[in-house]
Amino acid sequence: PRFHREKMYKRFLQPQSASAESPNSRTVSCASTAGGQQSQYSCEFGSGAYYAYCGFGGVLSCGLTHTAVVPLDLVKCRMQVDSVKYPGIVKGFKVTLAEDGVRGLAKGWAPTLIGYSLQGLGKFGFYEVFKNVYGNMMGEENAFLYRTSLYLAASASAEFFADMLLAPMEATKVRIQTSSGYAKNLREAFPKMLAAEGATTFYKGLPPLWGRQIPYTMMKFACFERTVEALYKYVVPKPRDQCNKAEQLTVTFVAGYIAGVFCAIVSHPADTMVSKLNQMPEAGLVGVAKALGWKAMWKGLGARIIMIGTLTALQWFIYDTVKVVLRLPRPPPPSMPESLRLKLEAKQAS
């Protein structure tokens, strides 16, 4: 029944809230309260409006943050495809400024904004959907016991579809940034690629994109969820419902940055291959891997750690803020179901 699903989700599955809640404020219905007052939430959990709002939060969190770090992303991509000319971050910025000027640092901003906005829509919106669906399939007790596996499965499923939305703009962005003189902007690059190479060129980088983004997103969501849980349990000196909004958002930002560092490390080799493959589309995935070698796949890792750490922290910060502003249902941190607690006590007693 829907009531059971909502009860289970509230207790165990939803990401941590950036809004203060008391244990007695866990309703998720839009229906009027007994006193005739409207619920504190703007929509019902699991409704189309709920998932649409989550997707909108993802659009803002991913689109805005990725566009903001385009200059760093530009230098990182050039370091990956031409390590001789761009041996490091500082040198990379100097060469780019000397050749293209300040405006050159913004190359690829349009496909970045469009592509990562679409990706954010799929990443966060589908994550909420799959987490709910998989959690219901597992049952209340298993959803708590194996919540890390649940986060991993839901985020991987969401990213699989989100990357299909991202791939065309990612291919266009990398071509603009790494192929000198090819095109100045999205309006010039996209039709040029389509006419010369066909529509399939926009998806040649999809397999390595999956290889980069799926591990990244699995780490991003699972690490964030468990880090927030640990911070409230071991670091923050008071329960979350006693923390104000600023304190909760601070926890969100710190947990997001920690998750971002791990995300950058696990996904960096595939990120390098995506950059190189879009520069050399005829080489293929295996050819690019052989041409690069294992050591070269880690070029630009320092820049990417800075970029992804900050990016991930800001994404979670924006996403949580959107949920607070839109008054979406936000449960407390996961806690053990009463039925499971009684079972464990009975097992220990026997």
Side-chain angles (χ1 to χ4, degrees):
R2 187 178 67 184
F3 175 78
H4 173 74
R5 296 199 304 269
E6 292 174 352
K7 179 181 177 183
M8 180 186 71
Y9 185 88
K10 285 185 294 175
R11 295 181 64 186
F12 314 120
L13 308 182
Q14 181 82 340
Q16 310 307 312
S17 172
S19 62
E21 292 177 348
S22 67
N24 297 322
S25 65
R26 299 176 189 174
T27 178
V28 295
S29 175
C30 287
S32 299
T33 62
Q37 295 179 339
Q38 193 72 10
S39 166
Q40 62 175 308
Y41 298 114
S42 63
C43 64
E44 184 180 8
F45 165 73
S47 65
Y50 175 80
Y51 292 128
Y53 285 145
C54 289
F56 175 70
V59 168
L60 293 182
S61 66
C62 291
L64 295 178
T65 52
H66 277 277
T67 304
V69 296
V70 161
L72 186 58
D73 181 55
L74 170 70
V75 173
K76 181 266 300 180
C77 287
R78 290 181 172 181
M79 288 170 58
Q80 291 172 331
V81 301
D82 192 349
S83 59
V84 176
K85 187 175 182 179
Y86 305 94
I89 298 177
V90 176
K91 180 68 172 179
F93 271 103
K94 287 182 177 180
V95 173
T96 300
L97 285 169
E99 292 184 349
D100 303 323
V102 175
R103 293 185 62 181
L105 293 174
K107 276 189 174 182
W109 73 268
T112 297
L113 177 61
I114 297 171
Y116 282 94
S117 293
L118 291 173
Q119 188 216 33
L121 174 68
K123 184 195 296 280
F124 284 93
F126 287 145
Y127 176 69
E128 300 287 356
V129 172
F130 282 118
K131 187 166 60 169
N132 184 30
V133 171
Y134 294 163
N136 291 335
M137 292 170 61
M138 294 170 68
E140 186 178 26
E141 294 180 3
N142 286 332
F144 174 78
L145 289 172
Y146 305 107
R147 57 192 182 279
T148 300
S149 297
L150 175 61
Y151 303 147
L152 292 171
S155 58
S157 299
E159 189 62 36
F160 178 84
F161 294 102
D163 287 345
M164 294 180 183
L165 302 176
L166 169 63
M169 290 295 102
E170 178 73 1
T172 307
K173 181 209 72 168
V174 173
R175 188 68 64 89
I176 293 171
Q177 292 179 336
T178 60
S179 298
S180 180
Y182 183 82
K184 294 180 180 180
N185 50 46
L186 174 63
R187 293 192 306 273
E188 182 182 350
F190 191 89
K192 188 175 181 179
M193 292 174 66
L194 182 62
E197 303 167 34
T200 57
T201 191
F202 297 111
Y203 291 94
K204 285 183 177 179
L206 184 57
L209 191 62
W210 277 329
R212 180 188 79 184
Q213 290 297 134
I214 290 178
Y216 162 82
T217 300
M218 292 171 70
M219 183 67 70
K220 173 179 180 175
F221 281 85
C223 184
F224 172 80
E225 300 258 26
R226 295 310 299 260
T227 301
V228 169
E229 187 179 334
L231 288 174
Y232 279 113
K233 186 175 182 180
Y234 299 110
V235 179
V236 180
K238 53 186 176 181
R240 194 198 64 177
D241 61 305
Q242 297 178 19
C243 297
N244 59 38
K245 292 180 180 179
E247 291 169 335
Q248 291 182 23
L249 287 172
T250 298
V251 171
T252 295
F253 186 86
V254 171
Y257 206 100
I258 292 172
V261 171
F262 287 100
C263 288
I265 294 172
V266 301
S267 62
H268 191 72
D271 179 68
T272 303
M273 294 180 67
V274 169
S275 298
K276 196 69 174 178
L277 187 61
N278 281 295
Q279 185 197 39
M280 305 167 50
E282 74 287 346
L285 189 61
V286 176
V288 166
K290 290 180 178 179
L292 283 170
W294 178 248
K295 186 177 180 179
M297 288 185 186
W298 296 96
K299 283 285 185 179
L301 178 60
R304 193 157 187 268
I305 285 177
I306 296 171
M307 182 181 76
I308 296 299
T310 305
L311 197 104
T312 305
L314 288 174
Q315 284 178 357
W316 279 113
F317 185 90
I318 293 171
Y319 185 64
D320 264 358
T321 300
V322 169
K323 283 198 165 186
V324 171
V325 172
L326 296 180
R327 297 186 298 111
L328 300 187
R330 306 289 292 167
S335 59
M336 182 178 293
E338 181 67 13
S339 59
L340 180 59
R341 185 186 66 80
L342 293 175
K343 286 181 181 179
L344 294 177
E345 288 180 354
K347 185 177 181 179
Q348 290 175 352
S350 62

